Amino acid sequence: MGITSAHTSAAEDVVPSYHEVVGRYRASFAAQVARGEQRPLVLPRFVLSLVLLGAYLCVPHWQRQRAWLYRARWLVLVAVMVLDAQTIRECGSMNMASAFGGGLVAMYSTVLAWTWLVWYRPQFEARRVGRRRRRKRMIEGMEGEGKRKFEGLRDGAWGNEMGEPLTVVQSSRSRPRRQQEGQAVRGMERIDQGEEQSDHEYYWQAYPMDSVWERIDWVLDLVSNFRGQGWNWSLTTNPPLPAEVQSDLGKAVDSTSDKTTSSVGMRRFTSRSNLIGHALPRFLAGYLMLDLLKVVAMTDPYFILGPNEHPLPAYIAWMNPLCLRAWRELQSLVAIYTALATIFLLSPLFFHVLLGPRYLGVRGAIWQYPSHWGDISLILDGGLGACWNGVWHQAFRQIFAAPTQYLVSKGIIERGSSRTKLVGLFMGFFISGLLHGSGSITQLPPTKPWNPMLFFLLQGAGVALQTSLCRFFGAHIAKLPTASRRAGNVAFALAWLFYTSPLLLDDLARGGVWLYEPVPVSLVRGLGFGRDREAGFLRLNPMSWYSGKHWWESGLAI
């Protein structure tokens, strides 16, 4: 960003307080804005590319007579990329977290546009679980051709061999839309003929055509749903849907169908009290932990200035370089995990507990909000690969996997082959590097945006290396005790992360991420436990109205 570094001379005995450092960064950024060299992140301009993507998807373009509108997606994609590139190149924020998030979200918008405009065709392929009044004996009174068509749909004439609607992305790409659904009874994939068990049933809702508001809701759900819970593109790491939902969707249900835990340990909650008991204590504990971590971090000049030569506080001054690195990496990891986990908990607490099905319908159902983190014990048998593929949150997994799935669907690479797995591995980490590297660019102090990219590419290399070593020495490894094999997996994962993490963590510290105020009300500092006995409970990050040269550059600066 070109902001002047806030580092002071290494010879100084006193490390500047984080308030002083933040003040210098903000003053330097304000000067650049005044000179026209930078612009603040403002709403609504910041999210204009996402609005453009959503608006295009709200316009029906799957009909044959609107083929020209479908081809126009390339113009939309270019426009989204231009808007996001401008944000990454020109914008920043006095809010240290917003500065990083601005670049990350801008690149995410571009990747999301590629996902839904190129890699997939949501108006043709995507389906979400909907809920409606149960159809009952609807073929009574029908005669002739109409009855035969209706019975054909009921019996799966336009479905697959299991009688399910054609909702699999790869299989639907080659079939005309009306062949899949039928002209007169679009979206009615399953008809109940027996005794009613309830007044409503679940069904696969395709792209809505009858209601503009329903279409907008469908598109908003599509582009804002990170893990696809309740969609036909739901991640494999998600827990299965409840048995009653699966049954209504036409899937065979048995005693194992109502599992509440996924293959990686992510959990589906079964009652409101069950979810509240899980989420609320963790949210409160996360809030307090973030407050405490902020206070502790601000005693270490590393978390204020990034890597530097300033004297260390007494509680870490005795550590050798390896211990000091381990301590800072652990503290950074705990802070990142706590921040993400606490933010993730807001979704079920707000959308299910506060609003719920009464206001949101199916979108407020409890099974829409499974837990975000896998079972940490997966590392024992899966090593570094399990760490990234199961234990860590999978919020970006859909956009990471989309390019590889597209190549498979086009026959360019073969599903399940070693080559395909390697392409998918590095493609996912490459996109992750783009996201975090873009966040590095928009931070205020000088950073090294190529370091986050290198970090994530090295994670792919580490997973590939461990997999190759296990295959090459497989016969010897199989003879070892289970405890030894698991210890080896954990040791490899920890060692690889230990030596590669500074590429990412040093850049976050260098860019000022830890200077952000994580909680609006600080109990720890309000009670006088902060550095220099900081007074006051309120810890608000700056927001103000910004008036740019043009009306579209004006808005709420975040």
Side-chain angles (χ1 to χ4, degrees):
M1 292 292 296
I3 300 297
T4 303
S5 174
H7 285 256
T8 56
S9 170
E12 296 182 13
D13 292 331
V14 179
V15 180
S17 72
Y18 80 94
H19 291 292
E20 295 172 345
V21 174
V22 170
R24 296 177 193 177
Y25 288 153
R26 290 175 177 172
S28 182
F29 177 69
Q32 289 202 355
V33 171
R35 294 194 300 267
E37 299 172 2
Q38 293 290 326
R39 290 187 292 110
L41 291 167
V42 298
L43 294 173
R45 167 63 180 82
F46 175 46
V47 295
L48 183 57
S49 59
L50 289 171
V51 172
L52 178 60
L53 171 63
Y56 172 76
L57 291 175
C58 285
V59 179
H61 54 248
W62 55 264
Q63 302 101 321
R64 184 172 300 176
Q65 61 270 29
R66 290 193 174 186
W68 63 271
L69 191 56
Y70 179 61
R71 290 192 291 270
R73 72 192 188 281
W74 295 106
L75 296 177
V76 176
L77 179 62
V78 171
V80 167
M81 293 176 65
V82 169
L83 290 171
D84 291 334
Q86 288 178 344
T87 296
I88 295 172
R89 187 180 70 252
E90 301 174 2
C91 294
S93 174
M94 290 188 178
N95 182 322
M96 309 307 290
S98 293
F100 177 80
L104 188 148
V105 172
M107 181 54 67
Y108 173 78
S109 172
T110 290
V111 177
L112 191 69
W114 274 92
T115 299
W116 294 124
L117 297 180
V118 179
W119 309 134
Y120 296 125
R121 305 186 303 166
Q123 291 193 13
F124 298 81
E125 303 165 342
R127 307 286 188 275
R128 70 172 181 174
V129 175
R131 193 166 182 263
R132 64 188 177 193
R133 287 199 173 276
R134 188 176 295 274
R135 267 71 170 173
K136 179 181 175 183
R137 305 186 184 282
M138 295 185 64
I139 64 172
E140 292 180 359
M142 289 187 176
E143 296 181 357
E145 184 65 21
K147 181 175 181 179
R148 285 194 295 273
K149 286 185 177 181
F150 208 89
E151 288 180 330
L153 177 62
R154 179 199 65 198
D155 295 335
W158 291 304
N160 60 18
E161 67 278 6
M162 298 298 293
E164 299 172 328
L166 295 172
T167 58
V168 179
V169 169
Q170 289 79 10
S171 64
S172 63
R173 184 178 293 273
S174 61
R175 287 179 167 85
R177 181 182 182 88
R178 290 305 181 187
Q179 181 182 346
Q180 297 174 40
E181 299 180 6
Q183 180 73 29
V185 285
R186 165 176 163 70
M188 298 167 57
E189 285 88 344
R190 183 178 182 271
I191 306 302
D192 180 77
Q193 300 182 77
E195 293 293 323
E196 281 196 344
Q197 296 179 350
S198 66
D199 292 336
H200 293 81
E201 66 178 350
Y202 295 96
Y203 71 105
W204 283 118
Q205 182 191 32
Y207 184 77
M209 288 296 296
D210 298 332
S211 168
V212 173
W213 295 113
E214 183 71 14
R215 194 182 311 151
I216 292 174
D217 178 72
W218 193 92
V219 170
L220 284 175
D221 191 15
L222 176 79
V223 299
S224 63
N225 199 318
F226 288 95
R227 297 184 291 166
Q229 184 75 348
W231 286 81
N232 64 337
W233 50 270
S234 176
L235 301 181
T236 57
T237 53
N238 286 337
L241 298 175
E244 62 170 322
V245 180
Q246 296 184 51
S247 176
D248 279 355
L249 296 177
K251 296 183 179 180
V253 176
D254 56 29
S255 59
T256 64
S257 298
D258 207 22
K259 295 189 299 182
T260 58
T261 305
S262 73
S263 59
V264 299
M266 293 182 183
R267 176 184 173 192
R268 170 170 59 82
F269 301 98
T270 56
S271 69
R272 188 171 183 268
S273 59
N274 187 236
L275 187 148
I276 293 175
H278 170 88
L280 188 57
R282 286 170 171 79
F283 177 80
L284 296 176
Y287 186 98
L288 294 175
M289 178 62 75
L290 287 174
D291 193 9
L292 179 61
L293 287 170
K294 171 69 176 183
V295 173
V296 174
M298 293 302 98
T299 63
D300 184 350
Y302 170 83
F303 292 100
I304 299 175
L305 301 169
N308 64 84
E309 299 299 328
H310 282 288
L312 302 177
Y315 74 95
I316 57 175
W318 61 272
M319 295 182 180
N320 62 47
L322 287 181
C323 288
L324 183 61
R325 174 193 282 191
W327 165 253
R328 286 171 169 171
E329 287 185 7
L330 177 62
Q331 191 173 346
S332 299
L333 175 61
V334 171
I336 292 171
Y337 170 81
T338 304
L340 291 176
T342 305
I343 292 172
F344 289 159
L345 289 171
L346 287 173
S347 180
L349 288 174
F350 181 76
F351 290 109
H352 175 72
V353 176
L354 187 61
L355 298 179
R358 179 178 180 182
Y359 296 102
L360 299 178
V362 176
R363 309 283 77 77
I366 192 169
W367 47 265
Q368 294 273 13
Y369 303 97
S371 61
H372 284 78
W373 307 91
D375 189 341
I376 196 170
S377 66
L378 292 171
I379 301 176
L380 295 174
D381 296 313
L384 184 64
C387 177
W388 291 110
N389 199 41
V391 178
W392 198 246
H393 76 85
Q394 303 294 298
F396 297 138
R397 182 167 179 154
Q398 169 70 0
I399 63 172
F400 290 169
T404 305
Q405 292 180 0
Y406 176 82
L407 295 176
V408 170
S409 70
K410 290 296 185 180
I412 298 174
I413 54 179
E414 182 181 355
R415 182 181 303 278
S417 67
S418 298
R419 177 190 176 192
T420 299
K421 292 178 181 178
L422 198 62
V423 169
L425 178 68
F426 280 98
M427 183 62 72
F429 282 115
F430 173 74
I431 296 174
S432 187
L434 286 178
L435 297 179
H436 293 82
S438 297
S440 177
I441 292 173
T442 53
Q443 289 180 284
L444 299 187
T447 57
K448 299 178 180 180
W450 54 87
N451 278 4
M453 172 64 77
L454 182 57
F455 166 77
F456 284 104
L457 290 179
L458 283 174
Q459 301 316 298
V463 173
L465 175 62
Q466 186 176 17
T467 302
S468 299
L469 290 175
C470 289
R471 287 179 179 175
F472 186 80
F473 296 105
H476 302 285
I477 294 176
K479 299 176 183 178
L480 296 174
T482 300
S484 299
R485 297 198 300 269
R486 289 181 166 181
N489 283 327
V490 173
F492 183 93
L494 292 179
W496 195 268
L497 289 170
F498 177 80
Y499 286 105
T500 60
S501 289
L503 289 168
L504 175 65
L505 301 181
D506 286 358
D507 199 66
L508 291 175
R510 189 182 293 114
V513 162
W514 308 119
L515 300 176
Y516 172 70
E517 292 292 351
V519 295
V521 178
S522 173
L523 297 177
V524 175
R525 284 170 283 176
L527 295 174
F529 294 103
R531 182 181 177 185
D532 299 326
R533 294 295 187 265
E534 298 172 294
F537 288 91
L538 291 180
R539 301 291 160 180
L540 301 179
N541 291 287
M543 287 192 297
S544 61
W545 182 265
Y546 172 76
S547 297
K549 294 181 179 179
H550 308 285
W551 63 267
W552 59 84
E553 295 178 350
S554 302
L556 181 64
I558 56 175

